């Protein structure tokens, strides 16, 4: 094992029996050949399960919606990117020339994907028990500080609840445009509701982020219009 991988494994608290899995987990699709997308897919599901299971036992009186919001706050992209930075994963990623030039090793979407891929790799290398122990260790501080009283609903949820409370139809989201190279895309998403003839446009480096921004701006418009009445 190379000294750099030894250092990373110490940070992760796990040494791979099959080092090829770790290398694959750190390989972005821009590098060419085999990449971490399949491991990311697997790790995403495992992470959601492990966090959901912990929250289920941790908050015995919480309702399904509350647990869903708690989980979402813990596994969202920004949180995973922070975890990646704590491990310094950007220094170990294998990126194509375009991504290296554009600073892909700092991009949240790439960092969060690498965390999920590593989770998938640990699962394949050692099984669920070891994977669960590692994930809970990485998220321990965040889990311990999580509370039903402080969890914040995301903009899409708040907009939906706002409209439901007023017996309005649910918002509709549609991708209006995608600009840029495959490794550095910008999404433009329209959020439409019956109360306004014109949609609100949200912009982000993923569809999910763009939808959240559009919903947040729609809420601001609703609040602003209500304040004028």
């Amino acid at each position: 094992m190379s000294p750099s991988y030894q250092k990373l494994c110490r940070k992760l608290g796990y040494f791979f029996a099959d080092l090829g899995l770790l290398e694959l987990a750190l390989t972005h699709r821009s590098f060419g050949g085999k990449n971490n997308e399949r491991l990311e897919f697997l790790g995403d599901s495992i992470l959601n399960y492990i966090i959901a299971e912990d929250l289920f036992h941790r908050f015995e009186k919480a309702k399904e919606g509350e647990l869903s919001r708690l989980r979402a706050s813990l596994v969202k992209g920004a949180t995973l990117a922070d975890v990646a930075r704590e491990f310094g994963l950007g220094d170990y990623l294998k990126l194509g020339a375009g991504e290296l030039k554009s600073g892909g090793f700092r991009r949240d979407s790439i960092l969060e994907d690498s965390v999920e891929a590593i989770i998938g790799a640990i699962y394949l290398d050692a099984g669920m028990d070891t994977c669960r122990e590692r994930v809970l260790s990485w998220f321990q501080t965040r889990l311990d500080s999580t509370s039903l009283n402080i969890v914040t609903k995301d903009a899409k949820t708040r907009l939906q609840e706002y409209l439901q409370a007023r017996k309005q139809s649910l918002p509709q989201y549609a991708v209006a445009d995608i600009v840029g190279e495959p490794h550095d895309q910008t999404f433009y998403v329209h959020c439409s509701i019956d109360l306004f003839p014109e949609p609100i446009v949200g912009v982000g480096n993923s569809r999910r982020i763009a939808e959240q921004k559009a919903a947040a701006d729609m809420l601001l418009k609703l609040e602003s219009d209500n304040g004028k009445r």
Side-chain angles (χ1 to χ4, degrees):
M1 182 183 294
S2 68
S4 62
Y5 277 173
Q6 285 183 346
K7 183 178 179 181
L8 175 57
C9 286
R10 281 195 295 271
K11 292 179 181 179
L12 296 174
Y14 179 76
F15 287 82
F16 282 81
D18 181 357
L19 199 59
L21 285 169
L22 174 59
E23 187 172 9
L24 184 60
L26 296 169
T27 304
H28 187 257
R29 66 176 180 272
S30 63
F31 191 77
K34 290 186 177 180
N35 58 66
N36 63 8
E37 289 185 331
R38 283 171 54 83
L39 285 176
E40 173 203 339
F41 165 78
L42 180 62
D44 174 65
S45 298
I46 293 169
L47 173 63
N48 274 274
Y49 165 71
I50 291 172
I51 296 299
E53 181 186 44
D54 184 87
L55 293 173
F56 179 84
H57 294 296
R58 190 180 289 260
F59 298 99
E60 295 182 351
K61 296 183 179 180
K63 297 178 180 178
E64 182 272 339
E66 293 173 317
L67 291 172
S68 293
R69 287 192 291 274
L70 285 172
R71 181 181 60 184
S73 71
L74 289 163
V75 304
K76 65 184 179 182
T79 302
L80 296 183
D82 286 342
V83 171
R85 291 188 179 95
E86 291 168 8
F87 293 139
L89 285 187
D91 296 336
Y92 302 92
L93 295 174
K94 298 175 70 172
L95 304 171
E99 280 294 354
L100 283 171
K101 187 179 296 185
S102 64
F105 57 90
R106 294 190 297 266
R107 187 170 297 117
D108 277 13
S109 59
I110 291 179
L111 291 172
E112 66 186 77
D113 289 348
S114 68
V115 171
E116 292 173 339
I118 287 176
I119 291 171
I122 292 176
Y123 168 77
L124 292 177
D125 199 54
M128 180 57 81
D129 288 345
T130 298
C131 188
R132 179 189 290 108
E133 185 273 330
R134 282 296 81 209
V135 169
L136 292 180
S137 173
W138 302 345
F139 282 81
Q140 191 65 56
T141 301
R142 292 175 174 86
L143 284 164
D144 289 344
S145 61
T146 297
S147 167
L148 290 173
N149 297 323
I150 63 173
V151 65
T152 303
K153 297 178 183 178
D154 62 44
K156 288 181 66 176
T157 300
R158 288 187 284 120
L159 177 58
Q160 179 175 314
E161 292 180 350
Y162 179 98
L163 296 172
Q164 287 177 324
R166 290 157 179 79
K167 300 187 182 335
Q168 296 289 321
S169 300
L170 296 180
Q172 300 295 316
Y173 299 91
V175 176
D177 199 7
I178 304 175
V179 178
E181 299 297 323
H183 65 274
D184 188 21
Q185 294 182 325
T186 299
F187 289 74
Y188 294 81
V189 170
H190 284 178
C191 174
S192 304
I193 63 173
D194 291 343
L195 293 175
F196 297 119
E198 297 295 326
I200 294 290
V201 180
V203 183
N205 61 9
S206 73
R207 177 173 180 168
R208 178 175 58 187
I209 292 173
E211 287 179 350
Q212 290 290 352
K213 288 185 176 179
D217 287 346
M218 182 64 79
L219 281 167
L220 288 174
K221 180 171 179 59
L222 288 166
E223 292 167 358
S224 174
D225 281 20
N226 285 338
K228 295 175 183 177
R229 294 172 186 171

